Amino acid sequence: MSVGLDALFSPRSIALIGASDDSTRIGGRPLKYLRGSGFAGPVYPVNPRRETVQGERAYASIVDLPTVPDLALLAVPAAATRQAVEDCASAGVKAATIFAAGFAEMGEEGKAEQARIVAAARASGLRLLGPNCLGAADAASGYYGTFSVMLDDGFLTPGPVAIVSQSGAYGSHIAQLARNRCMGIRHWITTGNECDVDVAEALRWVVERDEVKVVMTYAEGVRNRASFFEALDIARRRGIGVVMLKVGRSEAGAHAVGSHTAALAGSDVVFDAICRQYGVYRARSTAEQIDVAYALSRAGVPSGNTLGIFSMSGGLGIQMADDGDAAGLEITPMPAAAQAELKALLPYASPVNPVDATAQAMTDLPLMTRYIQVVLEQGGYDMFVAILGTTPALPSYSARLAEALEAAGDGNGIIRAVTMSAPVETVRAYEARGFLVFEDSVALTRALGALVTFRGSFARAAAATSEMPALPAPFTRTGALSEHSAKALLADAGIPFPRECLAATPDDAAAAAKAIGFPVVLKICSPDVPHKTDVGGVLVGLKDEAAVRAGAALLVERALAAVPDARVEGVLVAPMIGGGAEVIAGISIDAALGPVVMFGLGGVFVEVLKDVTFRAVPFSVEEAHRMIAETSAAVVLKGVRGATPGDIDALAETLAALSRFAAANEAGLAGVDINPIRVMPAGEGVVPLDALVLLAE
Amino acid sequence: MSVGLDALFSPRSIALIGASDDSTRIGGRPLKYLRGSGFAGPVYPVNPRRETVQGERAYASIVDLPTVPDLALLAVPAAATRQAVEDCASAGVKAATIFAAGFAEMGEEGKAEQARIVAAARASGLRLLGPNCLGAADAASGYYGTFSVMLDDGFLTPGPVAIVSQSGAYGSHIAQLARNRCMGIRHWITTGNECDVDVAEALRWVVERDEVKVVMTYAEGVRNRASFFEALDIARRRGIGVVMLKVGRSEAGAHAVGSHTAALAGSDVVFDAICRQYGVYRARSTAEQIDVAYALSRAGVPSGNTLGIFSMSGGLGIQMADDGDAAGLEITPMPAAAQAELKALLPYASPVNPVDATAQAMTDLPLMTRYIQVVLEQGGYDMFVAILGTTPALPSYSARLAEALEAAGDGNGIIRAVTMSAPVETVRAYEARGFLVFEDSVALTRALGALVTFRGSFARAAAATSEMPALPAPFTRTGALSEHSAKALLADAGIPFPRECLAATPDDAAAAAKAIGFPVVLKICSPDVPHKTDVGGVLVGLKDEAAVRAGAALLVERALAAVPDARVEGVLVAPMIGGGAEVIAGISIDAALGPVVMFGLGGVFVEVLKDVTFRAVPFSVEEAHRMIAETSAAVVLKGVRGATPGDIDALAETLAALSRFAAANEAGLAGVDINPIRVMPAGEGVVPLDALVLLAE
C-alpha cells in the first residue's frame, strides 16, 4: 500500500496526461515547475494532439512511454478522467493525481462518476489523489505535482515541516504564510474530494518520514477514524507535532461543510476532546497554526513549563506575564541570590520575574548582556523571552542589540525568544542567532504553551495503550437491556456495582431486603421500561418487610399499567446509598469518530452547562485522570469547602474499564448511560447506582 | 482645570527647560521634533550655560522669556526638577511635563520628593504630566512634547485615533504598530508616574475632542475611579470607542505591577465586568487592540450583527463562518431568491452563506463582481467579507481583483472587509477602495464583533443613569448589623424581603408563628452572631407553638453559650419558603474601583466555579439584566428541563435597587451579602431569605 503512496507523494518518474504547451494552464504548470525545480527523474508529457509540449517531445498515450512511470498527473477534463484512469491502470502506473473538479462536490451524477473512477483504479491497485485537488510536492526531490500558483513566487525550501490539507486553497495559503515566516516545507499534500487517499492516510505516510518534525494539517471531517487515530498515535510516539485546523465548529460552518464536501463533520466537541487525547494541537486560527508550527519546528519541546521574562519596560513585562499565565506557563521568581546580584548591578531594576532592567539597559548594552546571562544561567527557566518592542526597527540599534543578546549565551539549551516589531530582514537576523521571533506576546506565549503541551503528550505516548478483556457477547436481541442485565454485563467489564438482588416475587423481595438491610430501594426491572421514574417504577426508603412486599407488587402493577406487554424480569432490591459527589458516565457512538466515553459532573452541570468531556476508546487510567481533570468534577472531587476529597482513582479505573468495554463491543452497542455514579471519599471507591445499555438495532 | 490640560496636551507656546545642543539627547529631541514638524507657536530653549542651542537663541531662565509659555517641558535631572517646577509656578506657566525618572518608582525618598514637587505646583495651579513619562503630542498642530525615538521614523499623521498610555514604552510601541497599519493618530499622551494628571483625566480630555473617534489606552490600575468612570461615560455618550489594554490579570502580572508602580491593581475580574458595563473593549493582546482600533476608526459601527461571507474556497469560507460565530456574529443564509440567482450564474457554487463561488470566480472576474453584488444588495447583511487568501499577492492579479471587488458597489454603506496575505502596498490599495484588510479571519471577526459591541453600548448610553433614593443614615456604630436591622435597612432601599417578625420572648415567638402560619423558621437575631449556623442559631420546620416556644429559648441559650456577651435582639420568626432557583447578591468594596454589586447563581456555582459578575454602582435595571445574562443564572432562570422560567425582571429590579443603596451609602459600608435569594416563577417575584450588612469600621 505504501508503494502507491510513495508514488503519489514522492515519485521517481512522472507522466503528465493532458500536457499543455501553455505554461500558465493546468496542463502546463506542472511541467514548467518540474523542469524549473530540477526534478531528476523522467517526466513524460502526454498529449495526443501535439508533437511537442513546451519544447519537449510529447507522447500520444501512456502506452507509448519508454518506461512505466510511478505517477500520472491527470490534467484532463472531468469527462475524460475515467478513461485516463483506466489507461493508467492497464499500463501498470502505481498512482494518479486527478486535478479536475466536477465530481462528488457537484451532486449525484458527479458522485456516481467518481465511484466509477475509484472502481476502475481499484482493480489494478492504482492509488488516487483527488479529484478536485491541487496535488502534492516533495521539496527535496523537486517533485511538484501541482498547478498551484503559489509556486509563481518560487519553490519550497525543504525543512522539517509538512502540510497535509484537504482543501487545496488552504494548503496553498498556509504554505505561503509559512514561507513568509522562513519555515522549510518538505512535503505538501492536498487531498481534495478524497475518492481514495484521505487526509488520515496522507498524514500517516507523512508522520513516518524521519525528516518531518511538524505537520500542519487541515480537514473538514474524518472519513476513516481508524486510520486517523493510527496516524495520530504514530505521530505522538515518534515525537512529531500535529497542528491541526479543523473547521465546522459553528452551526454555520457545519452547514457549509455539509454543502461543500461529503465528509462527516462529527460532533465538534467530541473532536476537540479527541485532539486533547492524542496530543494534537488544534489551532483556532490560521495565524495560531503557523505560530505553533514555527515554534515547534525551530525550537522543539522545552524541558518544562517555566518562563523567564526580560524587559526594559515594566508595562510590557507585566503584559507578557499575564499572557504567559493565561497560556499555562509558570512565571516563577528568580532565586534570591540572583535577584541580589541583579539589584547590585542596577538598584532601581525589578529583579523578580518579569526582570525589568528599565530603559537603562538600552543605553548600557554590556549591562543588558549581563542581566540576561544571569536570568539564563541562574533562573532555572525552561524558556526565556526578551521583550524588545520597536527598538530593533531602528537601523542604528538592531545589530548591536542582537549581539548583546547573543553574548548572554544560550543558557544550556533553554528555548529563547524575543518579541519585537521590525522589518523582516531584522527578524531573520535574530532567528539566525537562535531566537524565536514573535511580534505579539499572546502569539508567543500561546505557541510556547503549545510546545509544553506537545512535551506532555510525546512523553506519555508509551502509556496510552491498554488491554482489552474478552467480554461475553450477549447481543442476541436488540434495544434496551433491563437494568439488571445491563449491570451484569457492565460488572463483567469491571464496573463496580453495589450488591443488589433481582426478586421474582414480593416474598423474595422482602427476604432480599432483610438480607441487604433496611432501608432499601425497589426498582422495576424490565427491558421494556428503560425510563423507570416515568412510570413510578422506583420506590425509595422502604423500611420493613411489609413495605417491601407491598411495594414490589405495586411496582409490577404500575409497570404493566404503563406498558401492558412489558417483559417484567422482577423487582430490583438495592441498599439506600447516599453521600459522595454525583457524576455521570456513558458511551455514545459519534457518527464520524465512533464509540466515545462521555464523563461529567452530574445534575445541573451536565444539563445546563454541558460541562462534559469525551475520549475515543479504549484509553488508559492515566488518560481517564486527564479526562476528569478537564471538567468541573476535578474541582468538586478535590473537596470543596473542607469536604473530604473523592476517590478519583477509583473513578478513573471505572472510566478506563468502560472504555475497554466500549472498544470490545462497539459493533453491537448503541449507547450506555451510568447515571448517577456516586464518588465516595478517597479509598472508598465509586458506587454506580443505575445503568442503561442500548444495543444496536 | 481644562486650561491646564489644554496646555499639556495641545499648547500654543512652549519652553524647553534643559534644552540641549545635541539633538539625540532628551533635552535636544523635543526641539528638533518641534522644528521639524513645523509647530507654529513660539518654542523657547532655556539653558543657562549656553548662548545658543541647535542654532537658536537660548534663554538663561524661564523669567527671561518674552512671553509666558503655556507649557514647560522639563528635560532636567531629577535633582533639578523641583526647582524648575517652582520657577514655572512663579512665572505663571500653566503646565509642565516632567521627563526625568527617579521619583516614586525608586522608593520612599523618591516618593517624598515627588510629593514635594506636586505641592510646589499646586499652589499656582500648575498642572503636571509625569514624572518618568515620555510626554505628549498633537499631530495636527505639530506639537511633539516628547523625546520618544519613535519619531526618528517620521511624525504622526493626524487622524481619528488617540493614544493614552501610562507606560511611555507601550505608548510608543502601539503608536508604531498603528502607523504600520496606516492609522491616523491625532493625540498621543503618556502619563508615567502620574503625580498629578493620570490616565483617567487624560482620557476624559481626549474623549471631549470632536476629532477623536477611537482611543487606545493602557493602564496598570485605576487611581481615581470617579474620573475614570466619568471619562468612560462621556466616551460612550459621544460614541467614542475606548479600546483598553490593562495588565495585571495574572498573579505574576499583578506582582509585577506592584513592584513597578504605585497604582492599585484592583481585582481584575471586577475590572473586566466594569469594562462590559461601560462598553469599553478590553483587548487581550496588543494585536487585538490595534485590530479593533483599526476597524472602528475606518468603518465605524455596523447597523447590526450579521455577516455575509464570500469565498472562492469552501474551506476558507467555513473557517470564517466558525470564527464569525465564535465572535458573536450571525452568519444568516442568503434569501431564497438571491440563492436561486447565484445558482443560475454558477450551478456548482454554494449560495447559502458562506457564499462559495469556487475557484471559477478567479478566472471570471465579472462573475465574481456579480456574485458579490448579489450578496451586498440582496443579502441584507450589516457586514461583508471577501476571502482572498494569497491571490492578491500575485502582481498580475492584484489590481484587477481590487477593481472587480469595488465594481460590486458598497451595498449602501455595509461594512466591507477582505482577508488576504499580501505586501503592504497591496493592502493600502485595497484600503483606499474602502475595504478593511485583515490577514487572519479570527482577527477580522473579533474586530467586527467588537464593532457590534460598541454599537450596543453607544446605543444604550442614555438609559444608563438611574435615580438614587435618599436613604436613612443609621451608621451610628460599626461592624455587623443584626439580620433584622440589615433587612430593615435594605427593605427601605427597595429589596423585597418576606414578612417576618422579631420576637423578644418565647411567647412572642409562638404568637408570631401562629400569625405567620406553620411550619416556621427561627433564627437568632444579634449583631454579634453574624454567622448564625456556626452556633446552631437556626431551626427550621417548626410545626407548632410548643416547638417554637422551646426553640426560641434554645436559640438564645446557644447564642449566649457561643458569644457570652452577645447583644441578643430576639428571635426572628419567618415562614418556610421553598421553591425557585437560588441566587446570591451582595456589595463589596473594591480597593481600586469602589463599591460594586456582585451577583451569581447560588451554591456550587459561586463556591466552586466562581461564576459571579460585578457592576460599578449605581446601575439601571437594564444593566442588571445584562449582568444576569453574563452568568449561568441566565440559563437556569430561563427554565431548565421544562421548569417554569424564573422572575428575571424582579431579580433585575432588586439588583438595581441594591446598586442604588450601595451608591448612596458607600462611605459607611464595608459589605453586604443577600444569600440566598429565591427567584420564584415569572410574575411571582424574588424572595431574599437572609441578609448581612457590615458597616465600615
Side-chain angles (χ1 to χ4, degrees), chain A residues 515-687:
Chain A
I516 286 169
F518 294 100
V520 296
V521 182
L522 290 195
K523 298 192 267 189
I524 190 72
C525 188
S526 164
D528 303 312
V529 189
H531 301 292
K532 297 176 285 286
T533 49
D534 294 354
V535 302
V538 179
L539 297 171
V540 300
L542 302 183
K543 292 191 179 127
D544 53 40
E545 288 181 57
V548 169
R549 213 172 273 113
L554 178 66
L555 288 186
V556 174
E557 197 180 301
R558 283 180 178 172
L560 291 175
V563 186
D565 53 356
R567 292 161 292 174
V568 174
E569 296 178 0
V571 171
L572 280 177
V573 187
M576 288 287 287
I577 297 178
E582 255 188 36
V583 300
I584 71 170
I587 297 168
S588 71
I589 315 296
D590 186 89
L593 300 161
V596 291
V597 164
M598 183 274 280
F599 168 75
L601 196 58
V604 76
F605 286 88
V606 170
E607 302 279 347
V608 180
L609 301 183
K610 315 289 180 213
D611 179 23
V612 295
T613 190
F614 300 87
R615 283 296 184 278
V617 300
F619 52 80
S620 66
V621 173
E622 189 197 356
E623 191 64 41
H625 273 285
R626 277 189 289 275
M627 193 180 178
I628 297 164
E630 284 174 9
T631 71
S632 302
V635 187
V636 171
L637 294 177
K638 251 183 236 158
V640 184
R641 284 192 281 177
T644 327
D647 197 336
I648 298 180
D649 289 341
L651 177 60
E653 295 280 358
T654 300
L655 294 174
L658 190 62
S659 83
R660 292 190 297 267
F661 173 78
N665 297 288
E666 69 169 272
L669 278 179
V672 171
D673 278 344
I674 309 183
N675 181 16
I677 300 174
R678 291 195 172 275
V679 183
M680 309 310 275
E684 298 177 27
V686 296
V687 185

Side-chain angles (χ1 to χ4, degrees), chain B residues 224-280:
Chain B
N224 181 336
R225 62 188 159 89
S227 77
F228 181 61
F229 293 158
E230 197 183 350
L232 299 184
D233 198 49
I234 293 170
R236 182 168 62 173
R237 280 194 281 110
R238 304 190 78 232
I240 297 171
V242 176
V243 188
M244 182 162 206
L245 192 96
K246 176 189 168 283
V247 294
R249 295 197 306 272
S250 66
E251 252 180 66
H255 175 84
V257 169
S259 72
H260 179 243
T261 81
L264 283 163
S267 156
D268 198 69
V269 56
V270 172
F271 189 86
D272 228 40
I274 287 178
C275 285
R276 292 193 294 273
Q277 179 175 5
Y278 279 95
V280 170

Side-chain angles (χ1 to χ4, degrees), chain B residues 470-559:
Chain B
L471 287 175
F475 305 130
T476 53
R477 53 185 184 185
T478 61
L481 298 186
S482 74
E483 180 178 339
H484 189 66
S485 305
K487 284 176 167 173
L489 182 63
L490 293 168
D492 280 348
I495 312 294
F497 290 95
R499 174 187 175 196
E500 64 182 20
C501 189
L502 179 63
T505 68
D507 285 343
D508 287 356
K514 197 175 165 193
I516 287 169
F518 295 99
V520 296
V521 183
L522 289 196
K523 298 192 267 189
I524 190 71
C525 186
S526 164
D528 302 312
V529 189
H531 301 292
K532 296 176 284 287
T533 48
D534 293 355
V535 303
V538 179
L539 297 172
V540 301
L542 303 183
K543 294 191 177 129
D544 54 38
E545 288 180 58
V548 170
R549 212 173 272 115
L554 177 66
L555 288 187
V556 173
E557 198 179 300
R558 282 180 179 171

Side-chain angles (χ1 to χ4, degrees), chain B residues 543-578:
Chain B
K543 294 191 177 129
D544 54 38
E545 288 180 58
V548 170
R549 212 173 272 115
L554 177 66
L555 288 187
V556 173
E557 198 179 300
R558 282 180 179 171
L560 292 174
V563 186
D565 52 357
R567 290 162 292 174
V568 174
E569 296 179 359
V571 171
L572 280 177
V573 187
M576 290 286 287
I577 296 178

